[in-house]
Amino acid sequence: MAIAAVPSYLGEDFSTASPGLRFGMYLQLWGVDQKTQELLWGTHDLKYEVRGQYRQERVLKEENKASALKAAAKFTASDKQLMEQLLRRQQQAFAASAYANDSLVIEAQAVAPFTTGLGNEHPLENGFSFLNPYGLPYLPGSGVKGVLRQAARELVSGEWGASQGWDSDRITALFGLESKDGDSQHRRGALIFWDIIPQIKGDHLSVEVMTPHQKHYYQEGDNPHDSGQPIPLTFLTVPPGSDFTFHVQCNRALLKEYPDLLEDDQWHRLLP
């Protein structure tokens, strides 16, 4: 049975810990030799079974990656309750801090598996974003801003046909301008995106699999070809049917040079 890399006084039952802790500090991934109880510090256990015609004992490797992720993906009743309470508190804070014409709330529902934080470092290669100190899934507001800014840039470039009202000046006004190569063109955008607390459908996250085939090319410097050995990599996702509430604020003082964006709240219509 796989163990977590924690002091023994913490025990072995982490079922009441938050999903973030079970995915991180308490990840039960590290293998044990089931005969000697030796810690292997790999991602598999060593099992011993009597098999074959001559009934000989054989050593088998049992991978722990999938089981570790499934254990981390579960939500307790208190996790679900806390998820709802965090969203309710966020909604109340947003209502108290933003005027009606300075704010935008968009409700959405995931129609496909959704993941956040894949680039975070993790023993299983693919990370996931959990909000500290609650240990619940979240999507950083900075990520939402980055996706929308890139979408606006692609619309302006003509990649998707009509620009839908976007141009480079509006992108700069709403999302800001970053300094490059030491220049002094940095400008703050008018839009502020709050973090998103997804309301997960069901009582667990989903476990998905990707199977890259080109390790010999990307990591070993070999020539690319189509006979590469697929390597299954499991990772966590938010399941379809989960609900998302997007909170956006607009600092109208930063749009004085762009009165057209303020007229009839034109910035509202650009985002959805």
Side-chain angles (χ1 to χ4, degrees):
M1 178 180 176
I3 65 168
V6 296
S8 58
Y9 63 78
L10 290 176
E12 298 179 355
D13 182 7
F14 306 114
S15 58
T16 59
S18 70
L21 282 175
R22 282 184 266 120
F23 183 72
M25 184 182 298
Y26 299 156
L27 182 69
Q28 293 181 295
L29 173 69
W30 309 107
V32 176
D33 186 316
Q34 295 186 5
K35 177 181 287 187
T36 66
Q37 298 304 305
E38 176 187 358
L39 302 182
L40 303 176
W41 299 117
T43 61
H44 61 270
D45 283 357
L46 289 183
K47 296 175 60 178
Y48 296 83
E49 294 185 3
V50 176
R51 291 186 176 185
Q53 178 180 357
Y54 299 103
R55 309 303 296 166
Q56 294 178 330
E57 186 177 67
R58 299 184 181 183
V59 182
L60 305 174
K61 287 186 177 181
E62 184 176 68
E63 276 292 340
N64 297 323
K65 295 180 181 179
S67 61
L69 278 184
K70 288 180 180 179
K74 295 177 182 178
F75 291 108
T76 65
S78 60
D79 292 330
K80 295 283 290 185
Q81 184 181 28
L82 179 57
M83 199 180 303
E84 296 172 1
Q85 291 172 343
L86 285 174
L87 176 60
R88 192 177 306 118
R89 187 176 71 179
Q90 186 183 58
Q91 291 170 329
Q92 293 171 348
F94 187 79
S97 64
Y99 295 107
N101 60 349
D102 295 338
S103 62
L104 178 63
V105 178
I106 300 175
E107 303 284 349
Q109 188 175 87
V111 297
F114 177 87
T115 190
T116 171
L118 277 181
N120 295 342
E121 292 186 359
H122 193 268
L124 295 180
E125 297 190 41
N126 296 300
F128 193 87
S129 291
F130 290 96
L131 180 63
N132 291 327
Y134 309 104
L136 295 175
Y138 87 114
L139 176 61
S142 58
V144 178
K145 179 179 180 181
V147 168
L148 290 177
R149 175 164 47 195
Q150 182 59 30
R153 287 172 175 168
E154 291 182 6
L155 288 171
V156 171
S157 72
E159 293 183 43
W160 305 101
S163 67
Q164 302 298 324
W166 286 99
D167 58 39
S168 58
D169 287 339
R170 288 185 167 188
I171 292 176
T172 298
L174 294 176
F175 296 106
L177 184 65
E178 297 179 357
S179 300
K180 294 183 179 180
D181 301 323
D183 62 34
S184 57
Q185 299 301 312
H186 186 83
R187 177 191 178 105
R188 178 184 172 188
L191 298 184
I192 303 169
F193 295 85
W194 288 38
D195 293 340
I196 291 88
I197 312 295
Q199 301 301 293
I200 306 299
K201 182 179 180 180
D203 61 358
H204 59 83
L205 295 169
S206 298
V207 177
E208 299 288 335
V209 180
M210 65 175 79
T211 53
H213 288 64
Q214 304 293 337
K215 178 182 178 181
H216 61 277
Y217 172 61
Y218 290 111
Q219 296 184 10
E220 298 171 3
D222 196 1
N223 293 326
H225 53 77
D226 294 332
S227 59
Q229 180 70 26
I231 304 173
L233 299 177
T234 51
F235 60 99
L236 291 179
T237 67
V238 174
S242 298
D243 295 319
F244 293 74
T245 302
F246 297 84
H247 295 93
V248 187
Q249 284 180 282
C250 180
N251 187 336
R252 299 173 70 87
L254 296 177
L255 293 180
K256 290 181 179 179
E257 300 176 18
Y258 305 89
D260 58 313
L261 289 175
L262 294 175
E263 185 177 352
D264 297 326
D265 294 324
Q266 176 67 22
W267 70 271
H268 275 206
R269 290 189 285 275
L270 286 172
L271 292 185

